[in-house]
Amino acid sequence: MALRRREVLIGFVGAGGLAVTGCAREQEAPPSPRAAAIRFDPALDSHGVNARIPGTVTVTDGTLRSVEWIDETGRALPGALTPDQRVWTSAEPLGYGHTYTAKAVAQGETGEVTATATCATVAPDRLVDVSLRSGNLVELAENDTYGVGFVLVARFDQPVDRAAAQRQLRVSTEPAVTGAWYWLDDQNAHWRPEHYYAPGTRVTIAAELFGAPLGDGAYGLRDQHISVLIGPAHVAIADDDTKHIDVFENGNLVRSMPTSMGMGGSAAVGGTVLSFWTRPGIYTVLDRKNPVIMDSASYGLPVNSRLGYRTTINHGVRISHDGIFVHALAESMWAQGNTNVSHGCLNLSPDDAAWFYDFVIPGDVIEVRNTGGDPLDIWQNGDWTILWPDWLRGGAPA
């Protein structure tokens, strides 16, 4: 009887064991190995590729073992891998007019994979450069200092599409100011703020032309970046009502100087009408020279004519592109402060002219008020004479 009970218990345990064994799960099969996948940028067989971009090779599900990016001359484009060996990027842009063959080898779970690609970059019909200048048409140098009336001039060496070119010209200031471009023609654009700069402003200009289409098959030659500083606020007010030039520094009057300005009227010489007014408007200092040779023939008045002249003048501060200077002239001291006798220049005593010459820098402001004649034109250095709404209308369309 005892034996039979033990057989029953053993049989019960065995049955339980069979039940447990029947609940076990089957083991999942391991995933299939993945092959490395290589991608080129620019993509396979690309044409007209932007010259500005670098070449890039990217691998997924693997690592790069080697990359060759060879141009049509056999030159290898230098480049570097990321630390994880998944991306290679060329160390320089692809450039103009190249045909490249790229080859990459990657290691994945299935072994080595090799891929090749070709691409061709854009080949311009012509390359265009730009010169970044101040209003005196001298090229800017890093950290130059200019007056609060500084005007930036972008001079392209060939005609360009204005809108396309303007998109590549960027001006930033610290502190920020509102400014805009004004196009004189298809090669010349000027930039200025709505109001004079604050002293100490830094103006940074970026002309990012390389790789940029500029219209009619033209592309930009190179990039340029430069910044200049704005000095103290030097503003001179030349008022024909008082016949004085009052000079201010940062809003404070520092000197008042008697002057004699343009005598007024005009003369017809060789079919050209010449004006002898000091035109009203806002001028800026362009440059200085001591001494300077003044020749009336430079603006169409023959030296041997009744009003012609050729003479050497001391402490000449040029304020217009057509020959208006603030300068010394002892011979007109009798008229300074009471009578206008010049051809258009602003005459000063030798002492005042020497002081003014030493005081000003390019970009300083001279506001001429209450004189006759036509307002100062932009080609003469009259950027600040143009009202702001009119200036905005001179920009290229967005």
Side-chain angles (χ1 to χ4, degrees):
M1 190 72 174
L3 178 61
R4 187 175 183 80
R5 184 170 182 269
R6 188 166 175 244
E7 289 174 352
V8 171
L9 290 173
I10 291 173
F12 181 79
V13 173
L18 288 173
V20 171
T21 301
C23 290
R25 296 182 180 176
E26 295 184 5
Q27 189 174 9
E28 294 182 2
S32 300
R34 295 182 180 181
I38 298 172
R39 186 180 77 250
F40 296 93
D41 187 16
L44 179 68
D45 296 331
S46 299
H47 296 276
V49 172
N50 187 341
R52 191 182 188 89
I53 66 171
T56 303
V57 181
T58 305
V59 64
T60 54
D61 298 322
T63 55
L64 288 166
R65 289 290 180 259
S66 66
V67 175
E68 294 179 346
W69 201 296
I70 310 296
D71 72 10
E72 70 285 352
T73 70
R75 174 181 178 265
L77 201 63
L81 280 168
T82 55
D84 63 5
Q85 295 185 289
R86 294 181 182 276
V87 180
W88 178 94
T89 304
S90 67
E92 59 190 53
L94 295 178
Y96 290 121
H98 289 297
T99 300
Y100 289 102
T101 299
K103 177 182 178 181
V105 178
Q107 179 71 44
E109 294 175 348
T110 61
E112 280 193 350
V113 174
T114 300
T116 60
T118 61
C119 70
T121 59
V122 66
D125 293 336
R126 54 195 175 97
L127 292 174
V128 178
D129 199 9
V130 65
S131 174
L132 301 176
R133 308 173 178 181
S134 65
N136 61 11
L137 306 184
V138 174
E139 290 206 15
L140 303 178
E142 186 70 18
N143 290 325
D144 274 350
T145 299
Y146 290 93
V148 295
F150 167 70
V151 173
L152 168 63
V153 174
R155 163 71 179 174
F156 292 88
D157 61 3
Q158 300 175 55
V160 295
D161 179 275
R162 298 184 188 186
Q166 187 170 302
R167 284 192 293 270
Q168 306 307 125
L169 300 174
R170 298 174 179 86
V171 182
S172 59
T173 64
E174 298 176 11
V177 300
T178 298
W181 289 98
Y182 184 100
W183 288 80
L184 282 69
D185 53 39
D186 289 345
Q187 288 183 249
N188 295 279
H190 292 191
W191 191 97
R192 72 165 175 88
E194 182 177 3
H195 306 290
Y196 301 148
Y197 300 90
T201 299
R202 178 170 287 277
V203 184
T204 301
I205 306 100
E208 298 180 346
L209 298 188
F210 181 73
L214 300 177
D216 195 26
Y219 283 77
L221 175 65
R222 58 175 175 150
D223 291 346
Q224 296 182 69
H225 297 81
I226 196 164
S227 66
V228 298
L229 293 170
I230 302 300
H234 293 170
V235 178
I237 309 296
D239 193 335
D240 198 30
D241 286 349
T242 64
K243 292 182 173 54
H244 273 68
I245 302 176
D246 291 334
V247 183
F248 297 84
E249 182 174 46
N250 298 328
N252 300 310
L253 179 66
V254 294
R255 198 174 183 100
S256 185
M257 307 178 296
T259 189
S260 177
M261 293 191 266
M263 70 182 77
S266 60
V269 179
T272 300
V273 177
L274 302 176
S275 171
F276 300 116
W277 293 101
T278 304
R279 290 191 178 200
I282 300 174
Y283 299 70
T284 57
V285 171
L286 296 176
D287 55 39
R288 305 175 304 158
K289 194 169 184 180
N290 182 39
V292 59
I293 296 175
M294 293 192 174
D295 188 340
S296 63
S298 65
Y299 61 89
L301 184 62
V303 173
N304 59 3
S305 65
R306 181 176 65 85
L307 295 172
Y309 59 87
R310 179 180 171 82
T311 185
T312 299
I313 296 296
N314 291 329
H315 295 112
V317 175
R318 186 164 63 101
I319 63 172
S320 83
H321 293 296
D322 59 342
I324 303 298
F325 284 77
V326 180
H327 65 80
L329 192 64
E331 292 89 337
S332 73
M333 284 180 65
W334 66 269
Q336 293 167 23
N338 60 81
T339 307
N340 290 329
V341 297
S342 85
H343 290 71
C345 290
L346 294 88
N347 298 168
L348 297 174
S349 72
D351 285 347
D352 283 340
W355 177 87
F356 191 69
Y357 181 94
D358 291 336
F359 179 76
V360 297
I361 62 173
D364 282 350
V365 174
I366 299 94
E367 298 182 6
V368 175
R369 300 176 179 176
N370 300 313
T371 59
D374 295 330
L376 185 66
D377 205 338
I378 189 170
W379 67 268
Q380 297 168 304
N381 188 30
D383 297 81
W384 288 98
T385 299
I386 298 174
L387 297 177
W388 187 244
D390 295 329
W391 185 272
L392 294 177
R393 284 191 284 272

